[in-house]
Amino acid sequence: MNAIESLKYFVPELILLGGAFVALTLDFFLRQKKLVGEFALLVIVLALCLAKAPTQPLPLFFGMFELDAFAHFFRYLALGAVGITILISLGYSPLQKRYTGEFYSLFLFMAFALITVAAANNLLMIFLSIEFVSLLSYLLVGFLKEDPKSKEAAIKYLLFGSVCSGIMLYGMSLLYGATGSLELPVIGNALLGAPFKPLATAAILFFFTGLGFKISMAPFHMWAPDVYEGAPTPVTAFLTVAPKALGFAVLTRVLDMIFWNFQSVWTPVLVILSILTMTIGNITAVSQSNIKRFLAYSSIAQAGYILMGLAAFSHLGRDAVLIYLFAYLMTNLGAFTVVLFVAGETQSDSLDAYAGLSKRSPMAAAMLTIFLLSLAGLPPLAGFIGKYYVFAAAIQGKFIMLTIFAAINSVIAAYYYFRIIRLMYLTPATGPAFAAPSKALTVALWTLFLSVLALGIFPSFFITRILG
Amino acid sequence: MIGIPLSHILIFSLLLFAIGVYGALVRRNIIGILISIELMLNAANINLIAFSKYTSLSPATGQIFAIFVIAIAATAAAVGLAIVLALYRVRKTVYTDEVNLLKW
């Protein structure tokens, strides 16, 4: 399909791009920077309304993008994550200074970049869109100008990310040399011949490095705790879900289109990395004393569970990845929204600030409890549905060791999630009661809270829609 | 380029890539690390150009990819140096081992 014909299927993305530039311009004229944020929110809602599910896979822009049900799901995921993040940024006080207009505009660009990541069907497009997302993330992480922690997080993210994408690029150049093409389906077919096995193995490892960084898979997870702690809280909330989800989208597409014939090579690697990721994440999370760092390690562990679904590369496994990502998005954004509210009231990210939270703000404590229980995977919450699917996929694929490790890990995870809940309910409060959260935060909290409950109680309604 | 076998070019690019990775891992200076990363990207560029000349079905795609990589490298350098500058303003250092506020 040529460029002009493709445009009509690309309307939400065009709106996002246009909106991002308008937001940049509005920033010059408006003194009330919140209005720019509200405008950005409007753009996201408009894009959400206009995003239509494709009836069949559409090869847009000469096959550079493949708009199928898979890409469409991630379109909703990206728009939802960006929308919620903008909403909670409106209630984040360190941002209420001069530069906030740009902040919202960067997020609109980010929404556009994330959608192109999910739809990219060409090595060039994959590289460009991933770099687009990465560059925007570096800027957003370092956004608080005077905060040395934010700057340090940005520099660590930048160096780690650039090295990993450089390695992935080298792998792409080898794939191009071996197959003479950049289009994923063509490469996949060209690799079928027997002499390519060593090369495919090398390329798989290069890809795992580049994408493993995005999804914070061990041993490429080192950056995650530092970056998540140092970044502004709304950005942390966003980074733990959206780029990670899109990393999984690319990984699924690459394994599916290029390396499907080499499953015997990458399945054992993924199984080991999955076990490693969840174990490192969970064991280190136990001893944390900063809530953002704590949630960072917990999000590394969650990536390990999602990798389980990918390792069992069956139909069920792929469905499990999508369902888990959706549940995880709601839950983690919710947990970070509460963190943002508490930090706004106490000026602290330390776990001590949560002592006796049930007395100081019963609503925040109750909601954080629900979100943590959902992260731990307790029924009847969203996280349980996701865990149920990945475990089912692993058992169906006869990955017994992997399942046992995941079960042990879930127990460790339950221990440290309950530690926070105990802290909130059984320790005496140390300060006065909180004021009610701002309107934007209230809306975000209730939306996420209700969707976590709804996904847990009426899973079939959501699952049929997620899987098309 | 006639006369230089493909394997020589590939060995050259692999060496360049290895130097880049080594530099990125051992340099203390953040600017040095950024330059090492540029080396890695350029090693991939050499690969792309060599392959587009010798083996490709559609030579133009490799060359276009290389041009995009050059553009991305420039963007990454712009963003990277901006962040280094901002870091220098608040911390007065460009050495990785002195940037140590965040750790477990």
Side-chain angles (χ1 to χ4, degrees):
Chain A
M1 204 180 285
N2 71 29
I4 304 291
E5 282 171 45
S6 307
L7 283 180
K8 70 170 182 269
Y9 300 103
F10 218 57
V11 176
E13 290 75 13
L14 293 177
I15 289 178
L16 286 174
L17 259 192
F21 284 113
V22 174
L24 261 187
T25 327
L26 275 182
D27 186 29
F28 289 122
F29 301 113
L30 294 175
R31 188 140 311 155
Q32 271 279 16
K33 301 299 182 195
K34 270 199 172 157
L35 290 177
V36 185
E38 279 154 17
F39 169 77
L41 213 54
L42 199 73
V43 173
I44 296 280
V45 172
L46 195 63
L48 260 179
C49 296
L50 288 175
K52 263 199 315 208
T55 43
Q56 75 216 44
L58 298 165
L60 300 185
F61 299 104
F62 306 101
M64 287 283 182
F65 296 113
E66 173 96 354
L67 186 59
D68 45 13
F70 182 77
H72 186 67
F73 166 73
F74 281 98
R75 181 143 87 170
Y76 277 132
L77 205 76
L79 286 174
V82 171
I84 299 270
T85 314
I86 293 177
L87 195 60
I88 63 177
S89 309
L90 290 174
Y92 182 62
S93 50
L95 268 182
Q96 314 306 332
K97 298 224 181 81
R98 231 182 92 211
Y99 300 96
T100 45
E102 287 167 39
F103 186 80
Y104 303 117
S105 153
L106 284 178
F107 262 112
L108 288 181
F109 279 119
M110 182 65 108
F112 173 81
L114 289 173
I115 296 175
T116 54
V117 172
N121 199 30
N122 182 301
L123 287 186
L124 175 60
M125 271 305 136
I126 290 181
F127 178 70
L128 285 181
S129 52
I130 286 190
E131 278 298 292
F132 194 177
V133 172
S134 299
L135 288 171
L136 287 170
S137 326
Y138 307 150
L139 290 173
L140 287 170
V141 167
F143 206 82
L144 296 181
K145 234 185 156 190
E146 308 301 331
D147 183 358
K149 275 190 171 181
S150 167
K151 287 283 155 317
E152 177 172 338
I155 205 90
K156 285 181 173 168
Y157 200 17
L158 168 84
L159 295 179
F160 218 106
S162 310
V163 171
C164 285
S165 61
I167 292 175
M168 185 171 75
L169 179 70
Y170 196 78
M172 284 180 175
S173 75
L174 291 181
L175 266 184
Y176 169 70
T179 60
S181 173
L182 292 175
E183 284 158 49
L184 300 193
V186 180
I187 298 175
N189 285 332
L191 279 183
L192 280 183
F196 283 133
K197 191 160 179 191
L199 177 109
T201 312
I204 288 171
L205 292 180
F206 281 123
F207 264 104
F208 277 0
T209 311
L211 298 174
F213 158 76
K214 279 263 137 243
I215 61 179
S216 71
M217 172 174 80
F220 309 109
H221 68 285
M222 306 291 189
W223 58 274
D226 287 357
V227 171
Y228 292 167
E229 186 187 340
T233 312
V235 177
T236 310
F238 176 78
L239 286 182
T240 52
V241 290
K244 201 175 259 194
L246 273 300
F248 276 106
V250 184
L251 198 53
T252 313
R253 207 181 269 275
V254 166
L255 291 178
D256 194 24
M257 306 283 278
I258 305 186
F259 301 120
W260 49 273
N261 197 33
F262 298 92
Q263 208 165 347
S264 59
V265 177
W266 53 259
T267 304
V269 181
L270 267 192
V271 168
I272 293 169
L273 289 181
S274 162
I275 293 177
L276 207 61
T277 309
M278 59 177 97
T279 314
I280 290 178
N282 278 326
I283 290 186
T284 335
V286 172
S287 58
Q288 296 306 317
S289 60
N290 177 310
I291 185 91
K292 278 162 87 177
R293 221 176 164 75
F294 164 81
L295 284 172
Y297 279 109
S298 120
S299 91
I300 294 173
Q302 303 284 341
Y305 300 132
I306 306 175
L307 277 175
M308 268 170 87
L310 210 55
F313 205 61
S314 51
H315 197 71
L316 182 62
R318 252 169 298 176
D319 292 354
V321 170
L322 297 187
I323 294 165
Y324 202 111
L325 281 174
F326 186 71
Y328 169 70
L329 177 104
M330 298 297 170
T331 314
N332 224 35
L333 276 179
F336 271 106
T337 311
V338 178
V339 169
L340 190 139
F341 169 57
V342 173
E345 294 290 328
T346 61
Q347 315 304 328
S348 156
D349 286 328
S350 141
L351 276 185
D352 300 334
Y354 290 77
L357 189 65
S358 60
K359 300 278 187 319
R360 302 175 77 182
S361 173
M363 190 192 80
M367 283 188 175
L368 187 56
T369 307
I370 293 293
F371 292 134
L372 289 178
L373 290 179
S374 171
L375 280 177
L378 259 68
L381 298 168
F384 169 72
I385 309 295
K387 275 236 172 63
Y388 176 80
Y389 265 84
V390 290
F391 273 85
I395 292 171
Q396 189 202 41
K398 305 238 174 340
F399 293 101
I400 302 303
M401 267 327 269
L402 180 60
T403 321
I404 293 173
F405 269 102
I408 297 173
N409 267 297
S410 299
V411 177
I412 303 176
Y415 162 72
Y416 62 71
Y417 290 128
F418 275 105
R419 199 169 63 114
I420 309 248
I421 297 173
R422 199 198 62 186
L423 196 64
M424 289 192 299
Y425 280 92
L426 298 180
T427 342
T430 49
F434 291 169
S438 69
K439 223 180 269 167
L441 276 187
T442 317
V443 173
L445 271 178
W446 279 100
T447 315
L448 294 166
F449 177 71
L450 292 178
S451 26
V452 166
L453 278 184
L455 179 58
I457 298 171
F458 311 107
S460 55
F461 174 81
F462 287 92
I463 288 169
T464 46
R465 271 159 192 75
I466 290 173
L467 305 180
Chain B
M1 289 252 293
I2 304 298
I4 305 177
L6 179 61
S7 57
H8 289 201
I9 302 177
L10 292 186
I11 290 169
F12 169 61
S13 91
L14 186 64
L15 277 177
L16 199 60
F17 182 72
I19 294 171
V21 173
Y22 177 77
L25 293 178
V26 304
R27 299 289 301 214
R28 276 178 68 228
N29 192 322
I30 294 173
I31 312 279
I33 300 178
L34 286 177
I35 292 172
S36 308
I37 292 165
E38 300 290 309
L39 283 186
M40 290 163 67
L41 296 181
N42 281 331
N45 271 348
I46 292 171
N47 261 358
L48 287 170
I49 299 296
F51 284 136
S52 80
K53 173 105 180 152
Y54 284 91
T55 66
S56 177
L57 309 171
S58 49
T61 50
Q63 294 163 16
I64 291 169
F65 200 151
I67 289 176
F68 269 106
V69 173
I70 293 170
I72 285 281
T75 335
V79 170
L81 291 177
I83 294 178
V84 173
L85 204 62
L87 176 83
Y88 185 76
R89 285 212 181 112
V90 288
R91 298 291 304 278
K92 297 286 174 236
T93 179
V94 286
Y95 290 104
T96 43
D97 48 355
E98 289 168 12
V99 185
N100 56 7
L101 278 181
L102 298 164
K103 58 188 168 192
W104 61 309

